[in-house]
Amino acid sequence: MKKIREIVRLYEQTQLSQRGIAQATGVSRPVVAEYLRWFAASGLTYDQVSELSDSELDGYLRSPKPRHDGRYEQFRQRVQRYLRELGRKGVTRQLLWQEYRREFPDGYGYTQFCFYLQMHAEANEALSMHLEHTPGRTLFIDFAGYAPKLFNPVTGEEQQLELFVATFPASGLVYCEACESQRLFYTVEATQNAIWFAGGAPQIITPDNLRAAVTKADRYEPQINATFADLAEHYGCAVVPARANRPKDKALVERSVNLVYQRVLAPLRDQSFTQLDELNEAIWEKLDELNNASMQQHEISRRERFEQNERHHLQRLPRARYTLRRFRRVKVAFNYHAYLSDDKHYYSVPYGYRGKHVRLAVTHDTVEIYYDHRRIATHRRDPRRGGYTTNKEHMPQHHREYAEWNPERLIGWARKFGEHTESLIAGKLAAKEIPEQSYGKCVAILSLARKYGGRRLEAACRRARHYNLDGYRQIKRILERQLEDSPLEHEREQRLPAHSNIRGGHYYSGASQLNTTSTLKEETR
């Protein structure tokens, strides 16, 4: 369902062709067309779609397929002429479409016209199309083949860096910076640095199949890295990679790379830098000279051309910069915790989601958990391996009550019944190295007061302590047999009446006394 939302967003906000949407989302073009037909029939807007859950969205986007018409045959008979005309100077797709609609008033709309035109152009390998760049529409990004180095004055070693280059093709504005590597974090940071440098976001970001941006390159269905796609969504952009082995798709950014070599790196070639920030400050100083220099063909600088023709076409920047998030798909365990393998740590979700597959969005500080396109939990990231982070609100009621117990609370509860109950519970907690191991048994003993009353429980605990008993079943047996008020050994001896025919305790041997004690214990048990 996330793919469907992205297709709808790109269709409504960027006016991409179906092919472009297919490239941006990694969904085949026929499937994109099908989803858009469903969307049109639903009568919804993108804002409404973004608020729906996955289940609700699935119910809306259903309608019969439209009947086939003969418009494609009319277009196909004229497409070769359109392609020849498109190669002529000054001829645009907009002009060709207007001429087509004058001939066929009920023909394709502009988006479908451009899609089929592009499809036939790709089938003709020898044809070179003139690409018109709409202001504010596209940002090309790439890493240069040659990059500067940092010098370590202590070891004398050089650290190889990477040079990131970005270009707004409509105006030719260039951005570049040195990075430690092409890994995901540095690519994301450099890309959004370019966006903030321009003061606005384009509709499309076109990377040259960078590993950090494109998980799997494919001419028709490239797989976009989930984090890079999340960056694009944060700025309201689509990701449309350049086609593999198609250098003309990225000709302008390649020219920008050469300009950076000539105007930025070459003047710095004899300087040594020991800090990355120091190097980038020098690069940006030369970059300003490049963008402010007058272009020979246009007699205007790239910066002036950008300010006049392109800046106001860019999308407004969000309030905050994008925070890098990594994504994981996991199944919630039976104990309603999701396992994050990066930290080897468990994070709770509401217990009703146990057994469900959820999506974890992980930043440096937080872990957000999503199900059905809705966030169901947020946690602060915890690096303790094998640990659990649990929100009490996620627990069922009986688990929540148990989690709130602690030794002080249990002893305080026992104190209400008397000193013998308190002493027995305190001893039981102290007997375990980890007090939590005794919580369940202590609660079970104290809960006997609900059925038998506090006075009887105190008496039963007194008897149990006398015989060194502290088990729940032993105390319960005393209460069930009503033995809690039976006299103990020394109490029986004191209660015997004085009589000449009654022998005292001195008369019996030690063995007989042991037998008597054993008999009482057995009776208690």
Side-chain angles (χ1 to χ4, degrees):
M1 290 301 169
K2 182 177 177 61
K3 292 278 190 182
I4 296 177
R5 288 187 183 83
E6 185 66 5
I7 290 169
V8 171
R9 182 181 73 83
L10 297 177
Y11 173 74
E12 191 172 274
Q13 295 183 359
T14 67
Q15 297 180 347
L16 279 174
S17 67
Q18 292 180 1
R19 172 84 57 186
I21 296 175
Q23 291 178 339
T25 58
V27 177
S28 66
R29 202 280 309 164
V31 173
V32 169
E34 186 69 19
Y35 284 148
L36 291 180
R37 282 195 290 268
W38 286 348
F39 173 66
S42 71
L44 299 172
T45 65
Y46 170 68
D47 290 337
Q48 292 172 324
V49 168
S50 64
E51 294 297 324
L52 296 175
S53 70
D54 288 351
S55 305
E56 294 168 337
L57 178 58
D58 184 63
Y60 270 106
L61 299 181
R62 301 292 178 184
S63 66
K65 299 180 181 178
R67 294 182 178 179
H68 177 72
D69 56 34
R71 292 179 298 173
Y72 180 74
E73 187 62 25
Q74 296 170 345
F75 176 89
R76 190 184 62 79
Q77 293 174 0
R78 291 160 179 77
V79 67
Q80 292 302 323
R81 177 170 64 84
Y82 293 151
L83 293 175
R84 287 194 300 271
E85 291 295 313
L86 194 60
R88 298 175 62 179
K89 187 174 182 179
V91 178
T92 65
R93 286 171 292 178
Q94 179 74 25
L95 176 62
L96 291 174
W97 176 72
Q98 291 173 350
E99 293 175 354
Y100 162 77
R101 287 301 292 266
R102 282 197 293 269
E103 185 176 0
F104 303 104
D106 297 328
Y108 290 130
Y110 180 68
T111 300
Q112 286 181 294
F113 177 87
C114 291
F115 162 67
Y116 287 118
L117 193 65
Q118 180 69 25
M119 183 180 66
H120 284 273
E122 291 174 354
N124 188 346
E125 296 291 340
L127 181 64
S128 178
M129 292 182 62
H130 168 69
L131 297 177
E132 263 195 303
H133 297 291
T134 304
R137 184 172 179 78
T138 309
L139 172 66
F140 287 100
I141 64 173
D142 196 7
F143 279 94
Y146 171 78
K149 300 177 181 179
L150 289 181
F151 176 74
N152 189 323
V154 178
T155 63
E157 297 178 349
E158 290 184 331
Q159 177 186 354
Q160 184 67 50
L161 301 175
E162 298 286 348
L163 185 66
F164 174 88
V165 179
T167 305
F168 287 89
S171 62
L173 187 74
V174 179
Y175 174 80
C176 64
E177 69 171 83
C179 306
E180 291 189 20
S181 74
Q182 294 188 25
R183 287 185 299 174
L184 179 64
F185 172 79
Y186 300 106
T187 301
V188 166
E189 285 299 303
T191 301
Q192 67 173 334
N193 285 345
I195 292 174
W196 285 84
F197 172 79
Q203 294 179 356
I204 300 171
I205 300 175
T206 300
D208 184 19
N209 292 293
L210 305 173
R211 287 293 299 274
V214 183
T215 305
K216 180 180 178 181
D218 185 88
R219 181 172 182 179
Y220 300 108
E221 296 183 12
Q223 295 180 8
I224 309 302
N225 179 280
T227 299
F228 199 86
D230 195 46
L231 163 76
E233 185 175 349
H234 180 78
Y235 288 103
C237 309
V239 181
V240 182
R243 293 176 298 172
N245 301 319
R246 292 294 185 273
K248 292 182 180 180
D249 285 4
K250 51 183 179 178
L252 195 141
V253 72
E254 294 291 353
R255 288 199 296 270
S256 298
V257 168
N258 291 330
L259 277 174
V260 170
Y261 286 158
Q262 297 167 9
R263 307 281 185 88
V264 177
L265 295 187
L268 302 175
R269 66 189 183 280
D270 294 327
Q271 298 185 38
S272 295
F273 299 93
T274 60
Q275 300 292 331
L276 182 60
D277 291 342
E278 178 188 7
L279 171 60
N280 276 326
E281 287 295 333
I283 287 176
W284 292 332
E285 182 178 342
K286 295 300 179 182
L287 179 65
D288 285 341
E289 295 178 6
L290 167 62
N291 285 322
N292 292 326
S294 179
M295 295 183 289
Q296 294 181 357
Q297 294 181 351
H298 303 282
E299 297 182 354
I300 187 175
S301 72
R302 290 173 173 80
R303 172 60 71 178
E304 291 172 332
R305 192 177 183 185
F306 174 79
E307 295 293 340
Q308 292 177 11
N309 303 325
E310 189 157 22
R311 178 188 284 276
H312 60 280
H313 289 288
L314 296 176
Q315 302 177 83
R316 183 178 300 176
L317 291 173
R319 294 183 179 180
R321 289 171 63 93
Y322 172 73
T323 301
L324 186 141
R325 302 194 298 176
R326 297 179 184 272
F327 295 91
R328 302 287 184 267
R329 181 174 171 80
V330 301
K331 184 177 181 180
V332 178
F334 71 95
N335 61 357
Y336 49 88
H337 282 74
Y339 179 65
L340 176 60
S341 58
D342 303 58
D343 300 335
K344 293 182 170 52
H345 194 88
Y346 298 84
Y347 297 91
S348 69
V349 301
Y351 68 93
Y353 292 97
R354 61 183 179 273
K356 305 291 187 181
H357 283 89
V358 296
R359 192 167 184 248
L360 274 61
V362 185
T363 71
H364 183 268
D365 299 316
T366 63
V367 176
E368 296 178 307
I369 305 176
Y370 292 84
Y371 176 78
D372 200 16
H373 189 59
R374 289 180 176 169
R375 186 172 61 190
I376 60 175
T378 302
H379 297 280
R380 230 168 154 53
R381 195 168 174 183
D382 192 332
R384 293 177 299 135
R385 289 178 170 243
Y388 284 78
T389 296
T390 306
N391 184 338
K392 291 182 180 179
E393 297 299 322
H394 297 163
M395 306 170 72
Q397 184 62 32
H398 61 286
H399 287 193
R400 196 180 308 172
E401 292 174 354
Y402 179 80
E404 293 173 352
W405 292 115
N406 55 61
E408 293 75 17
R409 184 177 178 186
L410 289 169
I411 292 173
W413 185 10
R415 189 179 298 123
K416 296 178 180 179
F417 304 126
E419 59 176 328
H420 295 289
T421 308
E422 178 184 358
S423 178
L424 185 142
I425 293 298
K428 197 168 187 64
L429 291 169
K432 295 289 187 180
E433 184 177 348
I434 302 176
E436 286 83 349
Q437 294 176 329
S438 298
Y439 284 2
K441 296 177 182 177
C442 291
V443 170
I445 292 172
L446 295 173
S447 297
L448 290 171
R450 298 174 183 171
K451 182 176 181 180
Y452 298 103
R455 186 204 65 78
R456 290 188 62 189
L457 176 61
E458 169 68 6
C461 289
R462 172 176 174 268
R463 187 175 187 83
R465 288 186 62 221
H466 177 77
Y467 292 109
N468 294 322
L469 307 175
D470 66 354
Y472 164 74
R473 291 184 180 179
Q474 295 166 328
I475 297 173
K476 184 179 180 182
R477 190 176 292 117
I478 292 174
L479 292 167
E480 287 175 341
R481 297 181 180 181
Q482 300 183 358
L483 300 176
E484 69 275 3
D485 292 326
S486 299
L488 303 176
E489 294 172 349
H490 64 282
E491 295 174 336
R492 288 187 178 186
E493 186 172 324
Q494 291 175 359
R495 292 179 184 179
L496 290 176
H499 194 279
S500 59
N501 292 331
I502 298 179
R503 300 177 179 88
H506 61 277
Y507 178 83
Y508 297 96
S509 64
S512 299
Q513 293 178 9
L514 288 175
N515 289 336
T516 302
T517 302
S518 299
T519 301
L520 288 172
K521 284 189 175 182
E522 188 62 32
E523 180 185 339
T524 299
R525 295 193 181 118

